[in-house]
Amino acid sequence: MAQGVLGRKNLNGQFINPAARSVSDALRAGRYQAWARARTMAFNRSFVYPAAAFRLWVVSASEPVLYKLWRLCAALAGFLLIIANSVALYVSGLAFGARARTQSVRAAAFKRAQSALVLAGLSVVVFTYGFYGMGLEVFIDGESLGYVNSQEQFERAVTSVSAQASEILNVPFSISTNATFRYSLVSRSKVFNGREVENMLFSRIPELKTMDVLMIDGEAVAGVEQRGIISEKLDAMLTEHLLNYDSVGFAADVSVVRRIAPVSIEITADGLDGILYSELNQAVTVFAEEGADVEEFAMLYGMTAARLFEMNPDIEDISEQTLTISHEKPLLQIISRREEVYTETVYYETEYVADPNMYTTSTRVVTEGADGYNTITADVGYTDGREVSRDITLVLHTVEPVTEVIATGTMTPPTFIRPFYGKVSSNYGMRKLFGRTSMHTGVDFAGKIGSPIVASSDGTVKFVGTKTGYGLCIIIKHADGIETLYGHNSSNLVKVGDKVKQGDLIARVGNTGRSTGPHVHFEIIVNGKTVNPFNYLK
């Protein structure tokens, strides 16, 4: 039986045993493989650096020629290192391919050393290319100002700074420079960008300075060189008010900006308080109510009457007039808000009901009125501690008011007539008699003794007799709590309990009691107190 042979076929279809391969075949195969790897690496990398060099040349057309040459040389150096690496790989493949099987360790060590050398060279190139470049050094009056990318960049910065300085100073301004330039190899970190070039130019303008600027409604008010001082003082102003309010802020648009500003607005940190707490005088219009007093009105607004008329020369009477006044307000008005809860009195209403059993001059409380109150929650706004708005957010009817009910009479009250048509010898009120001043509680009608005295109105006789000072007298009780008294009579013609009508004869004129002559003393008494009879007599 034929035995099988392990292996693979060659190009002629014959089986080849790997164990029977000769040494020369192995060397030849190793040499061909090494050359193939070196050729492939060299072919692939040969396109990288020329392409990069071409891109740098085209894209950097605006840069100096020396700078472009430097960058091109860096790219070519890397390309040559790659070629050298490829050649080295090829040579090493030829030299050590024959001994690949017997000296494989030494060949691998050589390749690692060669790769390390190539990587070190590439690192030097990349570092130099990444961190160093050609810079354009600027000199003015022999003084170096620093490095820029190009002369065009510097000239654009000069134009921009001149325009900005004119706007800040509010006057035409231009920077006159006699600049010279020189190219040199410099660290990329030392080359100014566009903004840094402008800042360098601004630093050479003595009228301008970088500082913290207080801006109020878009206007620069003051500047402090030290950073953060203005913000700290503004925060302190608000914090002081925040103790009593839920939220605080400035009425104006207030901000602090770190910027270039005229040195004319610069102040010291100590002088900043004088600005922040200063007041402004302004003219405002107010309306004077009808009957307003000139002195009180002027004092209300911290003015004199003379100053008020000086500011309003065409007005003689301020009543119901719109006036111009001088008013001071803080430069920085503080607005604040807080929620307030308070009680508000709800006053009771009064309802009147008719009572046909009472005279029209009488009233009677049927139900006592009582005030109620509501619990109010409001969002209240203040300006410098003065209330300017109040928005009610919640109303709770805590206690309802009680309506007061008052009964009023509908009957016509009685009328009163003179008890005697004699001459009035003494009126109601204070008078001097017998050397002393006293209250005369009635009206005296003088006449002859025995003249008739009649009832002033319908009523019931309450008293008949003698009273100290009055002599013989009569008291008649009338409706609606009114009584009448007739004194100094010579005789009384009725008795207690008699019903009398208006005009009925009840007594006669006399001179009894304490009297200076014959007359009738007539009193009207309402609820126990005497009143002027002439207020009731027809």
Side-chain angles (χ1 to χ4, degrees):
M1 179 181 293
Q3 294 182 352
V5 181
L6 297 178
R8 61 181 179 84
K9 292 182 179 181
N10 60 14
L11 295 177
N12 297 323
Q14 299 174 335
F15 281 98
I16 300 176
N17 188 345
R21 294 170 56 186
S22 65
V23 175
S24 62
D25 290 339
L27 292 176
R28 188 181 299 109
R31 183 176 71 249
Y32 289 157
Q33 290 173 6
W35 167 248
R37 286 197 301 271
R39 181 180 58 190
T40 301
M41 293 174 61
F43 179 78
N44 290 338
R45 295 184 179 181
S46 64
F47 290 98
V48 177
Y49 277 92
F54 178 74
R55 181 180 63 80
L56 291 173
W57 185 273
V58 174
V59 175
S60 306
S62 61
E63 296 177 342
V65 175
L66 289 177
Y67 191 26
K68 289 190 290 186
L69 289 175
W70 155 249
R71 300 178 72 175
L72 182 60
C73 288
L76 290 176
F79 174 69
L80 292 175
L81 284 173
I82 293 300
I83 296 298
N85 182 36
S86 300
V87 173
L89 287 173
Y90 173 67
V91 172
S92 66
L94 293 178
F96 298 100
R99 291 176 294 175
R101 296 182 63 186
T102 60
Q103 300 182 10
S104 58
V105 176
R106 184 179 300 175
F110 179 81
K111 290 180 180 179
R112 285 197 296 270
Q114 185 182 45
S115 299
L117 179 63
V118 172
L119 288 175
L122 286 176
S123 299
V124 173
V125 172
V126 171
F127 177 83
T128 306
Y129 176 74
F131 291 93
Y132 284 86
M134 294 298 294
L136 186 63
E137 190 173 8
V138 182
F139 295 86
I140 295 181
D141 298 330
E143 178 187 358
S144 175
L145 302 183
Y147 298 90
V148 298
N149 288 322
S150 65
Q151 185 173 346
E152 291 79 5
Q153 179 197 35
F154 179 78
E155 292 174 350
R156 285 195 304 269
V158 169
T159 303
S160 175
V161 169
S162 297
Q164 293 180 62
S166 298
E167 183 177 354
I168 295 172
L169 296 172
N170 202 25
V171 294
F173 186 90
S174 63
I175 299 177
S176 58
T177 59
N178 184 18
T180 57
F181 304 91
R182 183 178 68 189
Y183 282 102
S184 59
L185 184 64
V186 65
S187 171
R188 293 181 187 274
S189 62
K190 294 184 178 181
V191 179
F192 293 154
N193 59 30
R195 187 59 195 168
E196 290 171 335
V197 175
E198 292 186 6
N199 291 338
M200 178 267 292
L201 292 173
F202 272 121
S203 67
R204 298 183 60 82
I205 303 176
E207 294 87 353
L208 299 176
K209 193 173 188 179
T210 299
M211 62 183 83
D212 277 2
V213 179
L214 173 63
M215 305 292 294
I216 300 180
D217 289 334
E219 180 181 354
V221 175
V224 177
E225 184 177 7
Q226 187 174 352
R227 188 185 296 270
I229 290 295
I230 300 179
S231 297
E232 290 177 5
K233 289 187 176 291
L234 291 176
D235 291 342
M237 292 179 68
L238 295 179
T239 302
E240 180 182 354
H241 283 72
L242 193 58
L243 296 175
N244 300 315
Y245 300 96
D246 298 332
S247 63
V248 296
F250 293 110
D253 181 14
V254 179
S255 62
V256 179
V257 182
R258 189 75 178 178
R259 53 170 285 187
I260 297 171
V263 295
S264 58
I265 70 170
E266 183 181 10
I267 59 174
T268 63
D270 294 335
L272 184 60
D273 286 340
I275 297 293
L276 297 180
Y277 292 95
S278 63
E279 293 187 340
L280 301 176
N281 259 326
Q282 63 175 5
V284 297
T285 57
V286 294
F287 182 76
E289 300 288 345
E290 181 180 1
D293 181 77
V294 175
E295 297 290 344
E296 292 181 358
F297 185 86
M299 188 180 300
L300 179 64
Y301 293 98
M303 304 172 63
T304 63
R307 176 59 178 162
L308 180 64
F309 284 116
E310 181 182 340
M311 297 189 67
N312 301 271
D314 299 329
I315 295 178
E316 296 181 357
D317 183 7
I318 69 170
S319 179
E320 296 185 304
Q321 296 289 332
T322 299
L323 306 172
T324 300
I325 64 168
S326 177
H327 177 63
E328 288 187 347
K329 74 168 186 177
L331 174 66
L332 289 178
Q333 288 186 299
I334 296 180
I335 57 175
S336 50
R337 303 197 72 85
R338 69 183 175 197
E339 183 181 76
E340 297 183 4
V341 179
Y342 55 95
T343 58
E344 182 181 67
T345 301
V346 180
Y347 296 102
Y348 66 83
E349 297 181 351
T350 302
E351 179 183 350
Y352 295 91
V353 296
D355 187 341
N357 298 318
M358 295 171 56
Y359 291 111
T360 55
T361 56
S362 300
T363 60
R364 177 174 56 88
V365 177
V366 178
T367 303
E368 291 282 351
D371 293 334
Y373 66 90
N374 294 334
T375 301
I376 308 295
T377 302
D379 182 27
V380 187
Y382 295 86
T383 298
D384 292 332
R386 178 174 53 86
E387 182 179 330
V388 294
S389 67
R390 181 175 292 268
D391 300 325
I392 305 299
T393 58
L394 180 64
V395 178
L396 295 178
H397 302 290
T398 308
V399 176
E400 295 290 346
V402 177
T403 301
E404 183 177 65
V405 180
I406 297 177
T408 59
T410 58
M411 291 192 305
T412 302
T415 58
F416 294 86
I417 62 174
R418 290 189 180 195
F420 173 61
Y421 285 88
K423 180 181 178 181
V424 176
S425 59
S426 182
N427 283 308
Y428 178 86
M430 300 299 296
R431 70 175 181 177
K432 189 172 184 180
L433 185 64
F434 302 117
R436 53 182 292 187
T437 299
S438 61
M439 177 67 184
H440 188 227
T441 56
V443 177
D444 292 343
F445 298 98
K448 294 180 180 181
I449 294 178
S451 298
I453 300 174
V454 299
S456 182
S457 185
D458 298 350
T460 302
V461 178
K462 176 182 177 182
F463 175 85
V464 178
T466 301
K467 275 185 173 290
T468 303
Y470 291 100
L472 294 176
C473 71
I474 296 173
I475 298 176
I476 300 176
K477 183 178 181 180
H478 307 279
D480 207 21
I482 300 177
E483 297 178 350
T484 54
L485 182 147
Y486 312 81
H488 306 299
N489 305 331
S490 61
S491 61
N492 295 328
L493 305 179
V494 293
K495 61 182 183 298
V496 174
D498 287 349
K499 304 289 185 184
V500 295
K501 296 289 185 181
Q502 189 179 59
D504 287 352
L505 179 63
I506 59 171
R508 293 188 180 277
V509 175
N511 194 26
T512 59
R514 193 175 183 183
S515 173
T516 57
H519 69 281
V520 58
H521 174 82
F522 178 65
E523 290 183 8
I524 294 182
I525 305 165
V526 179
N527 296 324
K529 294 182 180 181
T530 61
V531 296
N532 190 342
F534 282 117
N535 292 338
Y536 288 79
L537 295 176
K538 294 195 300 182

